[in-house]
Amino acid sequence: MDTKDTTEGLANFLSYARKLANITRWNVEFLYRKSSVAEHSFFVAQIAQLIGIIEEKNGAVIDWKRLYRKALNHDIKESVTGDIPHHTKHRKEEVNQALAMIENELVREYILSEIPDEDYRRRIEEIINEDKDDTLEGKILSAADMIDAMLECAQEIRLGNTNPFQGKYNYWEKRLKQIDLVAVPYFLDEILPGFDRTVVYENENDEA
């Protein structure tokens, strides 16, 4: 096995991961404040972590390794496809399946094929394919993804960009309420209303 080829393949994976910093969310809409897929992935991981703590406090058993891997990597495929609008990707099941097939094909061609070491390639493929599913961690990821979308919409609404973001906010709120987690109503009723309050640091307003 050519070690140089393997290291170049792993470096290639990191290069694609960094592309997420340049891929804009909501790319078909006018935005006052643009955010990247990389930012979104970070905040989803933070939200998922908080949901996990809430669920654990209420008796759930969390596989934290699985949760962190899912949250951190759930949009890594967008490094080769860009951010495909939700209303396009999920318009019809056959469209969703076709896009999933294209995503997997592009990942194999541009990322996995560059990693000759079979063990590394298998591990990277597992990481890239971490996603939402019927596990508790998959449900937490789904909720965290929706909550971050709602926060992004709320930000645009506060800036006066109500069309189409009020409708999008309502859509995600409705979807979120369908997820059976203790943390969902807690987030909706207690955490989200206070999210945008002004943060004042101690002595911030004192004269120097």
Side-chain angles (χ1 to χ4, degrees):
M1 178 60 63
D2 191 326
T3 302
K4 183 175 183 295
D5 286 346
T6 295
T7 55
E8 287 178 352
L10 297 177
N12 179 65
F13 168 69
L14 287 181
S15 296
Y16 271 93
R18 286 194 64 85
K19 288 178 182 288
L20 298 179
N22 299 315
I23 298 173
T24 304
R25 298 260 297 163
W26 313 98
N27 54 40
V28 298
E29 307 292 355
F30 170 77
L31 293 158
Y32 283 114
R33 199 286 185 187
K34 297 181 184 297
S35 61
S36 70
V37 175
E39 289 177 84
H40 167 69
S41 296
F42 171 79
F43 285 118
V44 166
Q46 291 294 321
I47 295 166
Q49 177 176 251
L50 188 52
I51 293 175
I53 292 171
I54 295 169
E55 294 297 318
E56 198 171 57
K57 184 175 175 63
N58 283 274
V61 178
I62 307 296
D63 184 333
W64 286 100
K65 179 180 177 180
R66 176 189 288 172
L67 180 59
Y68 284 130
R69 280 179 48 158
K70 283 180 175 294
L72 185 62
N73 296 289
H74 76 283
D75 277 339
I76 198 75
K77 292 179 182 179
E78 292 188 11
S79 66
V80 294
T81 65
D83 182 34
I84 301 173
H86 181 83
H87 66 271
T88 298
K89 193 170 186 177
H90 297 279
R91 189 172 188 85
K92 291 183 178 181
E93 181 58 29
E94 53 264 38
V95 173
N96 191 20
Q97 291 178 1
L99 288 172
M101 182 179 67
I102 293 169
E103 281 181 342
N104 292 332
E105 183 177 320
L106 291 175
V107 165
R108 286 194 295 269
E109 180 178 350
Y110 292 111
I111 299 177
L112 298 177
S113 67
E114 298 296 317
I115 305 173
D117 184 286
E118 184 177 349
D119 184 51
Y120 277 125
R121 188 169 61 250
R122 176 183 57 80
R123 289 169 180 263
I124 296 297
E125 185 173 16
E126 288 175 355
I127 287 172
I128 290 175
N129 287 323
E130 289 283 357
D131 208 342
K132 300 157 191 170
D133 52 32
D134 293 332
T135 64
L136 174 58
E137 295 75 23
K139 290 166 64 177
I140 291 174
L141 171 58
S142 294
D145 201 20
M146 293 178 193
I147 289 169
D148 191 57
M150 290 171 65
L151 292 175
E152 291 174 326
C153 291
Q155 177 177 256
E156 289 299 305
I157 293 167
R158 286 192 296 271
L159 294 171
N161 194 7
T162 57
N163 185 17
F165 285 98
Q166 185 63 62
K168 292 180 183 295
Y169 183 96
N170 295 340
Y171 169 81
W172 288 116
E173 182 179 31
K174 183 178 179 180
R175 290 279 306 275
L176 180 63
K177 288 179 178 178
Q178 296 172 2
I179 299 179
D180 182 24
L181 291 171
V182 172
V184 166
Y186 187 58
F187 255 92
L188 289 171
D189 298 336
E190 305 294 336
I191 297 178
L192 293 183
F195 176 78
D196 196 43
R197 67 182 184 274
T198 301
V199 177
V200 178
Y201 295 97
E202 186 178 357
N203 301 323
E204 185 179 52
N205 294 323
D206 292 349
E207 293 184 3

